[in-house]
Amino acid sequence: MYEAEFDGQGSRIRWTEAAGSGGGDRVAGAATVYVHGLGAMSAVYHAHVAAHPALSGRRSLFVDLPGHGISDRPAGFGYTLEDHADALAAALDAAGVRGARVVGHSMGGSVSAVLAYRRPDLVSGLVLTEANLDPAPPSAAASSSIAAYPEEEFVRGGGFAEIMRRSGSTWAATMRLADPLALHRSATGLVRGTAPTVRRMLMESPAERCFLQGTLSGELPGAAELVTSGVRVIRAPGAGHNVMFDRPDVLAAAVAGETV
């Protein structure tokens, strides 16, 4: 386990690593970085993808965003998309990573796109899985469901417990490890969005870019515009929102840069 301070107050963002083919030493420079979604953990959602034969021998970092998993959860932190991106940058700086291929799921994909826009030195490629690209997602979206609660009601008034009851067992298994305050503020940040939007940041990023959409999730809004800007859009057959569980082979191929 590794860690880096991210908020000027001593709070730590943490990650685990799988060494590259050079052996057990941490090799400075390029790496593949995995970033989880809202209420999740990176290793739980992505370690099996990194172990795929197509990706063997690569240095892999599994980063837990502030308020999630093994990272600290300071009460004074904002947990906006920009805040998360800056914390992720602190982790990569501490790890000596430059020009990483960053693999982000859902909220983690949004954070990864913001990171690439703000710190292009850290990111050479983006592989985003059903990332949130626009503010004000539909009311049925998980982030909107959480953000609909006032913060106090969600954290201490039963909202967190209610969302846990309504969630599937897979998501609840990691969400229960997230801090309720961090979860609510992160969801609120997703609903609020960024300026420019995550979509615009993705379209203007100089990084190599790929976006995966599960066929069970329906059509990707604005897909043609993304393709025109140079984003490779991949449809994952038979997959829902969690493409890494439904079709890990498709995600691994995209991370490896293979044609799918």
Side-chain angles (χ1 to χ4, degrees), residues 55-216:
L55 301 174
S56 63
R58 301 191 181 202
R59 181 187 177 196
S60 301
L61 284 70
F62 306 96
V63 185
D64 284 347
L65 296 171
H68 293 72
I70 58 177
S71 290
D72 287 350
R73 46 207 66 202
F77 194 62
Y79 298 98
T80 65
L81 292 173
E82 295 91 340
D83 289 335
H84 281 304
D86 289 346
L88 180 57
L92 301 192
D93 282 336
V97 169
R98 290 293 181 273
R101 182 175 291 269
V102 183
V103 183
H105 174 233
S106 198
M107 181 185 80
S110 307
V111 170
S112 300
V114 175
L115 173 72
Y117 187 83
R118 292 162 73 98
R119 289 289 307 274
D121 59 310
L122 297 179
V123 182
S124 65
L126 288 169
V127 179
L128 310 184
T129 305
E130 300 216 353
N132 303 78
L133 299 181
D134 305 302
S139 59
S143 55
S144 295
S145 298
I146 293 172
Y149 290 90
E151 183 176 290
E152 182 67 19
E153 182 180 344
F154 183 80
V155 175
R156 299 180 181 85
F160 177 64
E162 175 60 25
I163 289 293
M164 285 284 291
R165 284 193 294 270
R166 288 159 47 189
S167 303
S169 60
T170 298
W171 191 29
T174 54
M175 195 199 311
R176 64 187 178 189
L177 303 178
D179 178 71
L181 177 65
L183 192 65
H184 186 272
R185 290 183 181 174
S186 296
T188 300
L190 275 169
V191 172
R192 182 188 308 116
T194 57
T197 64
V198 173
R199 181 182 296 272
R200 180 56 53 185
M201 291 187 198
L202 176 62
M203 291 172 61
E204 295 180 359
S205 172
E208 179 184 340
R209 293 149 297 154
C210 176
F211 193 106
L212 276 74
Q213 177 85 353
T215 58
L216 300 182

Side-chain angles (χ1 to χ4, degrees), residues 2-7 10-15 87 90-92 94-95:
Y2 301 94
E3 61 182 32
E5 193 273 339
F6 67 86
D7 64 350
S11 303
R12 304 282 172 165
I13 183 171
R14 297 185 177 88
W15 65 98
L92 301 192

